[in-house]
Amino acid sequence: MKTCFFIGHRDAPENLLPSIVSEVERHITVYGAEDFVVGGYGKFDSLAAQAVIHIKKSHPAVTLFRLLAYHPSERIVPELPGFDGSFYPEGMERVPRRAAIVRANQYMINRSAYLIAYVCHPSSGARNLLEYAARREKRGLIRITNLAL
């Protein structure tokens, strides 16, 4: 499993982009990551997508997919340039709307070998997800890189 997922704050600073690009490059060349998945609900997600799109120029085998927390028939999601597609996790149609983003993110954490994060706020949804991933990391199920450290 060579999938890398991203978790971060909606208000991530723009100057974080070079660090994300560098980390994506490292995940490809050192860890062998091939597939990258990003949500679409904040600045960090946007920066992560930009980083992968940039890296795809020198690593054309890399893929970028957008994780959908809401069913595509409920919320139309336009195809975005640079993405290889989007997907809606199996079983999400039974998840209440208020929990959809968290549940979709947990789905990806459970199916990813790597997580690139930007989590610095002590009390946030991103922090809760990072802690969830950290429990999996202790069991050797995922490798986490938090750019906020």
Side-chain angles (χ1 to χ4, degrees), residues 21-70:
V21 169
S22 176
E23 200 56 47
V24 168
E25 177 76 28
R26 185 168 78 95
H27 275 70
I28 294 166
T29 59
V30 175
Y31 304 133
E34 300 165 344
D35 304 314
F36 292 83
V37 179
V38 65
Y41 299 102
K43 188 63 175 180
F44 183 75
D45 289 346
S46 173
L47 293 170
Q50 288 176 51
V52 175
I53 290 167
H54 174 76
I55 291 291
K56 284 177 68 167
K57 294 172 187 167
S58 57
H59 297 278
V62 164
T63 62
L64 174 62
F65 287 90
R66 183 168 178 194
L67 173 66
L68 304 178
Y70 304 104

Side-chain angles (χ1 to χ4, degrees), residues 2-3 6 10 16 18 26-27 43 46 48 51 58 67 71 86 103 108 127:
K2 300 289 185 174
T3 300
F6 297 89
R10 291 177 185 257
L16 190 59
R26 185 168 78 95
H27 275 70
K43 188 63 175 180
S46 173
S58 57
L67 173 66
H71 195 279
S86 61
R103 189 71 61 84
M108 279 312 306
R127 169 69 63 193

Side-chain angles (χ1 to χ4, degrees), residues 69-70 74 88 91-104:
Y70 304 104
E74 180 181 330
Y88 180 70
M92 286 291 297
E93 60 278 349
R94 295 183 297 277
V95 175
R97 283 187 56 76
R98 70 184 178 283
I101 293 175
V102 170
R103 189 71 61 84

Side-chain angles (χ1 to χ4, degrees), residues 99-143:
I101 293 175
V102 170
R103 189 71 61 84
N105 287 335
Q106 287 174 336
Y107 175 94
M108 279 312 306
I109 289 168
N110 291 338
R111 286 158 181 80
S112 297
Y114 310 104
L115 177 69
I116 297 175
Y118 176 74
V119 178
C120 56
H121 302 312
S123 179
S124 67
R127 169 69 63 193
N128 294 341
L129 288 162
L130 183 63
E131 290 170 359
Y132 176 80
R135 290 190 296 274
R136 293 184 56 78
E137 185 178 44
K138 285 181 183 174
R139 297 183 302 182
L141 300 173
I142 193 169
R143 174 178 283 219

